[in-house]
Amino acid sequence: MSFKPSELLIPARQLLRVQDIPVNGADWLLMDLFELSRLDIMLDQPVLTEEMQQLYVSKVELLASGVPLGHLTGFQVFYGRPFQVNGHVLIPRPETEELVERTLEYAGTVVADIGTGSGCIAITLALESDYEVYAVDISSEALEVAKRNAELLGASVRFLEGDLLAPIKAESIQLDILVSNPPYIAESEKELMSDSVLDFDPHLALFADDDGLALYKRMIQDLPEVMKEGGHVLFEIGHAQGLALKESINQLYPNVDVHIEKDINQLDRIIWFKWCQ
Ligand code: GLN
């Protein structure tokens, strides 16, 4: 028996759709496994063997069960582009695309992505706008991955190694936009997490002290030093962190009007505000 790509893809996409998993994973997986191009898929060629079909179905089932594409292929698709990932970086999540989309609504020139990991936020912003983008991470191994991704995708980003906003302060960079999806999971939530996350994503990229709020609070303290007046700050947050974080921001800066936005699943996901003192 032999199969055309479409005969494998249609049921695979269907299976992912039912599970609410981005359906383009079916295409990327097929291309990766059998070294096919997008054109091959569009032309519905070449013919695949039954063995190939079985291998593909077994991987699609893993994808449908929640295993990230990055575990199966070494890359994760973010905002339509493949990002290389390994055990040193967080696998980009689809929710984070909303943070990028929101950020792109703002005009401005100088933008920093703090805790860049694979570089997915910084690189996408650089490719989708004419911002001047800085990306910071404390992990040199993560920065290597991010730099490789910037090179492969042809993005111009300046990478700085260091602790949160420290390198931005050290270079006296003044930001129009600060965006960050830092580690924000409370240690107490570890037990509730699935093995596919705990086994693959680096714990440095997942957990933070103080109910997961520690890194936001440290960044917030530095805002007067790094933000231009009227600039914008956007953080991805955990679903239970919106109000607590809003409170700590307003304790320090009572004039700031903090907004909390929900994601497609109606969970708090983004906190943003216009910076003023
Ligand atoms: N900024 C990267 C991402 O959104 C890494 C985030 C992290 O390591 N917490 O995927």
Side-chain angles (χ1 to χ4, degrees):
M1 243 171 89
S2 63
F3 299 85
K4 287 180 172 183
S6 61
E7 291 174 278
L8 270 58
L9 274 174
I10 292 166
R13 287 189 194 134
Q14 181 57 24
L15 187 64
L16 296 181
R17 188 171 300 118
V18 176
Q19 299 298 330
D20 242 354
I21 289 171
V23 293
N24 65 7
D27 302 51
W28 287 101
L29 190 58
L30 191 71
M31 292 193 281
D32 183 65
L33 277 179
F34 309 124
E35 292 180 11
L36 305 182
S37 66
R38 226 182 242 293
L39 187 65
D40 291 331
I41 295 208
M42 271 158 57
L43 300 176
D44 212 8
Q45 64 180 29
V47 164
L48 305 167
T49 66
E50 192 163 355
E51 239 172 27
M52 290 160 111
Q53 184 255 0
Q54 280 168 3
L55 175 67
Y56 180 67
V57 169
S58 68
K59 300 269 184 183
V60 169
E61 278 167 1
L62 288 173
L63 199 57
S65 75
V67 175
L69 183 67
H71 294 204
L72 302 171
T73 63
F75 67 84
Q76 185 78 12
V77 179
F78 184 82
Y79 223 85
R81 300 184 181 93
F83 284 78
Q84 305 272 322
V85 291
N86 63 23
H88 294 296
V89 299
L90 186 84
I91 298 216
R93 305 296 205 263
E95 301 90 273
T96 306
E97 294 181 350
E98 294 182 41
L99 180 69
V100 168
E101 223 153 79
R102 282 287 292 108
T103 307
L104 286 167
E105 288 173 19
Y106 295 116
T109 40
V110 186
V111 180
D113 168 28
I114 306 300
T116 198
S118 64
C120 62
I121 298 175
I123 291 168
T124 307
L125 290 175
L127 292 172
E128 297 288 331
S129 73
D130 39 19
Y131 298 148
E132 178 186 331
V133 182
Y134 294 87
V136 177
D137 208 286
I138 198 167
S139 153
S140 56
E141 289 100 339
L143 277 180
E144 264 173 49
V145 176
K147 282 179 190 166
R148 192 165 353 116
N149 278 323
E151 221 173 271
L152 289 169
L153 295 168
S156 151
V157 174
R158 259 199 73 201
F159 292 98
L160 303 170
E161 186 175 333
D163 187 14
L164 302 178
L165 287 160
I168 301 290
K169 290 195 288 181
E171 296 209 17
S172 309
I173 297 164
Q174 292 287 294
L175 302 173
D176 295 293
I177 301 173
L178 166 60
V179 57
S180 181
N181 174 26
Y184 59 69
I185 301 172
E187 292 280 347
S188 59
E189 283 180 282
K190 210 179 236 172
E191 286 144 45
L192 306 172
M193 294 175 66
S194 74
D195 290 343
S196 78
V197 173
L198 288 172
D199 291 350
F200 198 85
D201 287 306
H203 292 198
L204 177 68
L206 293 173
F207 297 104
D209 291 337
D210 194 359
D211 287 332
L213 296 177
L215 302 184
Y216 302 107
K217 287 188 180 169
R218 288 181 44 218
M219 283 191 272
I220 287 163
Q221 278 173 350
D222 283 341
L223 293 180
E225 235 182 294
V226 299
M227 291 304 296
K228 291 186 196 167
E229 186 71 20
H232 294 91
V233 179
L234 301 100
F235 294 132
E236 182 169 323
I237 55 169
H239 61 91
Q241 292 173 324
L243 288 177
L245 189 54
K246 183 177 156 87
E247 235 166 68
S248 9
I249 296 167
N250 280 141
Q251 251 165 27
L252 280 176
Y253 315 114
N255 296 334
V256 164
D257 190 10
V258 181
H259 304 261
I260 300 171
E261 268 179 36
K262 295 191 188 303
D263 64 14
I264 24 175
N265 303 316
Q266 291 310 306
L267 298 171
D268 286 356
R269 179 60 65 188
I270 294 173
I271 207 161
W272 64 271
F273 53 92
K274 192 169 169 158
W275 173 244
C276 65
Q277 253 191 318

